[in-house]
């Protein structure tokens, strides 16, 4: 007997669409694969921006992962709520976020919080607020290694800032942070060469700081594309995030990584607007509306369908003359970019053995949980 496709949901008639569905067995497979690729679990600091849920993050904790990275105060609080021991806010906080970060530190004293800075102005404000709160905030200098969005270029300015941070009360410099997400050549050899070139000045900074008498800086580096490369460096912490759910984009450009798609969007045909076209309930509000229209979603059970138009609630697809699709047909789509797609849903429904078994709330898609 032919085995049914892994993604099929036997009780899909009870599932309203559009819906985000999650496959916990595949999530666990991806976590196990991540650990096998690095060997030493203490060098993992996965980013939770992709999953945004307590349940998925707990699976990371249960796998022995103790360090985490996040982008928002809500994500940091979500991690603290489940008892994560070490949380890096990979963002330079403005003053409002500083107040919230310090409140988190007081509310969750068993979680070790830290954040990024790339300017003495920010660090000075943080220092003053931390002193007033009776706290010391560990900070990493954010380095710009080619993303050109935040951070400062590796060099003398970093050494100066590190020394200035060391003199400020209320903050404590502990390391360097660098995200090289622009390095995503599908040829691993080329990606490795580019990654090594971007990492070299970071390594040099670390060695220089150590030579000047500072404790050896912790280096937090990379994302999913460069994870297999940095995983081979014995003295860095790696912070991939997308691995937990994976998506079509990374599946295409990172063929050497064997993570499994573990999050899909389920949609239905809601109209037949023309003889060759169908319309499904997967608009801008239900799938990350970035990049080319043709690549935003790939339907596993209907890969030939081509998107020709999209609005807030609708996606129009070219199906060809004589197609057999009808209103009510169900499609299982893999997002091209899963992280912002997850952020569009307040919950993901878990699918186990073909059945809907529960839901994982994306609690940190909100900007505020309690703090």
């Amino acid at each position: 007997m032919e085995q049914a496709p892994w993604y099929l949901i036997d009780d899909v008639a009870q599932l309203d669409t559009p819906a985000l569905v999650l496959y916990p067995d595949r999530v666990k497979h991806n976590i196990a694969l991540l650990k096998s690729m690095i060997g030493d679990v203490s060098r993992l600091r996965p980013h939770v921006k992709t999953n945004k849920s307590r349940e998925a993050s707990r699976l990371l904790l249960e796998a022995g992962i103790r360090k985490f990275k996040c982008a928002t105060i809500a994500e940091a609080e979500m991690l603290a709520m489940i008892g994560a021991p070490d949380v890096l806010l990979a963002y330079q906080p403005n003053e409002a976020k500083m107040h919230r970060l310090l409140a988190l530190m007081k509310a969750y004293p068993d979680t070790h919080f830290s954040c990024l800075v790339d300017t003495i102005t920010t660090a000075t404000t943080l220092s003053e607020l931390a002193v007033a709160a009776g706290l010391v905030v560990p900070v990493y200098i954010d380095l710009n290694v080619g993303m050109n969005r935040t951070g400062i270029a590796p060099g003398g300015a970093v050494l100066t800032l590190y020394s200035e941070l060391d003199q400020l009360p209320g903050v404590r410099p502990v390391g360097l942070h660098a995200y090289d997400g622009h390095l995503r050549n599908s040829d691993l050899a080329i990606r490795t060469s580019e990654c090594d070139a971007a990492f070299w000045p970071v390594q040099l900074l670390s060695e220089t700081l150590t030579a000047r008498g500072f404790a050896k800086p912790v280096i937090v580096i990379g994302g999913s594309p460069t994870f297999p490369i940095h995983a081979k460096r014995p003295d860095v912490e790696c912070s991939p995030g997308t691995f937990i759910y994976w998506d079509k984009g990374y599946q295409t450009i990172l063929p050497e990584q064997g993570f499994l798609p573990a999050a899909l969007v389920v949609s239905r045909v809601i109209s037949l607007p023309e003889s060759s076209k169908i319309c499904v309930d997967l608009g801008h509000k239900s799938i990350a509306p970035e990049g080319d229209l043709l690549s935003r979603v790939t339907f596993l059970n209907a890969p030939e369908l081509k998107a020709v138009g999209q609005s807030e609630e609708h996606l129009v697809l070219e199906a060809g003359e004589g197609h057999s699709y009808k209103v009510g047909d169900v499609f299982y789509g893999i997002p091209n970019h899963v992280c912002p797609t997850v952020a569009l849903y307040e919950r993901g429904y878990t699918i186990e053995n073909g059945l809907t078994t529960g839901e994982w709330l994306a609690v940190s898609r909100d900007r505020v949980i309690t703090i």
Side-chain angles (χ1 to χ4, degrees), residues 31-46 65 221 227-234 236-240 259:
I31 294 172
L33 178 58
L34 182 81
K35 290 173 59 179
S36 73
M37 292 169 69
I38 199 167
D40 181 0
V41 72
S42 70
R43 294 200 298 111
L44 284 173
R45 187 181 285 276
I65 295 169
I221 194 160
F227 170 67
I229 305 161
H230 292 306
K232 296 178 181 178
R233 310 188 201 279
V236 303
E237 293 181 0
C238 301
S239 50
F259 298 110

Side-chain angles (χ1 to χ4, degrees), residues 35-75:
K35 290 173 59 179
S36 73
M37 292 169 69
I38 199 167
D40 181 0
V41 72
S42 70
R43 294 200 298 111
L44 284 173
R45 187 181 285 276
H47 204 312
V48 300
K49 68 181 176 73
T50 301
N51 73 73
K52 292 182 170 60
S53 77
R54 288 169 292 201
E55 293 83 357
S57 298
R58 281 197 191 101
L59 290 180
L60 294 167
L61 273 174
E62 291 169 6
I65 295 169
R66 294 291 175 264
K67 303 170 186 174
F68 297 87
K69 190 164 111 171
C70 63
T72 69
I73 296 294
E75 290 171 0

Side-chain angles (χ1 to χ4, degrees), residues 13-277:
Q14 307 303 314
L15 184 68
D16 195 7
T17 54
L20 176 72
V21 295
L22 308 170
Y23 298 79
D25 288 345
R26 288 184 154 235
V27 172
K28 293 173 186 176
H29 169 276
N30 289 344
I31 294 172
L33 178 58
L34 182 81
K35 290 173 59 179
S36 73
M37 292 169 69
I38 199 167
D40 181 0
V41 72
S42 70
R43 294 200 298 111
L44 284 173
R45 187 181 285 276
H47 204 312
V48 300
K49 68 181 176 73
T50 301
N51 73 73
K52 292 182 170 60
S53 77
R54 288 169 292 201
E55 293 83 357
S57 298
R58 281 197 191 101
L59 290 180
L60 294 167
L61 273 174
E62 291 169 6
I65 295 169
R66 294 291 175 264
K67 303 170 186 174
F68 297 87
K69 190 164 111 171
C70 63
T72 69
I73 296 294
E75 290 171 0
E77 183 175 5
M78 176 195 74
L79 288 166
M81 290 168 69
I82 64 170
D86 190 326
V87 175
L88 166 59
L89 176 67
Y91 213 87
Q92 176 166 245
N94 56 35
E95 187 169 347
K97 282 185 172 62
M98 291 177 193
H99 286 289
R100 296 176 67 196
L101 177 60
L102 294 169
L104 272 180
M105 294 176 72
K106 287 195 170 184
Y108 298 96
D110 292 335
T111 296
H112 176 86
F113 292 98
S114 55
C115 71
L116 304 184
V117 297
D118 68 11
T119 170
I120 190 61
T121 303
T122 295
T124 300
T125 302
L126 180 59
S127 168
E128 293 169 353
L129 293 175
V131 168
L135 297 169
V136 175
V137 182
V139 295
Y140 293 75
I141 293 182
D142 191 21
L143 303 178
N144 178 8
V145 293
M147 281 294 290
N148 299 325
R149 60 183 190 186
T150 63
I152 54 179
V158 177
L159 299 174
T160 299
L161 179 56
Y162 210 93
S163 296
E164 291 173 333
L165 294 174
D166 190 54
Q167 298 302 311
L168 284 176
V171 300
R172 177 169 57 88
V174 294
L176 307 169
H177 171 273
Y179 178 59
D180 51 12
H182 61 296
L183 304 177
R184 47 180 63 200
N185 194 295
S186 60
D187 185 320
L188 181 59
I190 295 175
R191 198 182 335 136
T192 299
S193 177
E194 294 173 342
C195 177
D196 289 344
F199 179 73
W200 181 82
V202 179
Q203 181 66 40
L204 182 61
L205 275 175
S206 175
E207 294 172 355
T208 303
L209 287 167
T210 304
R212 293 188 178 185
F214 291 103
K216 186 175 182 179
V218 177
I219 299 176
V220 178
I221 194 160
S224 294
T226 55
F227 170 67
I229 305 161
H230 292 306
K232 296 178 181 178
R233 310 188 201 279
D235 298 324
V236 303
E237 293 181 0
C238 301
S239 50
T242 308
F243 74 92
I244 198 162
Y245 290 160
W246 216 226
D247 57 25
K248 184 64 174 178
Y250 276 167
Q251 186 182 59
T252 300
I253 68 172
L254 307 176
E256 80 285 348
Q257 299 188 35
F259 298 110
L260 301 177
L264 301 179
V265 286
V266 181
S267 63
R268 284 186 172 89
V269 178
I270 57 171
S271 184
L272 305 175
E274 296 179 24
S275 60
S276 69
K277 294 180 175 61

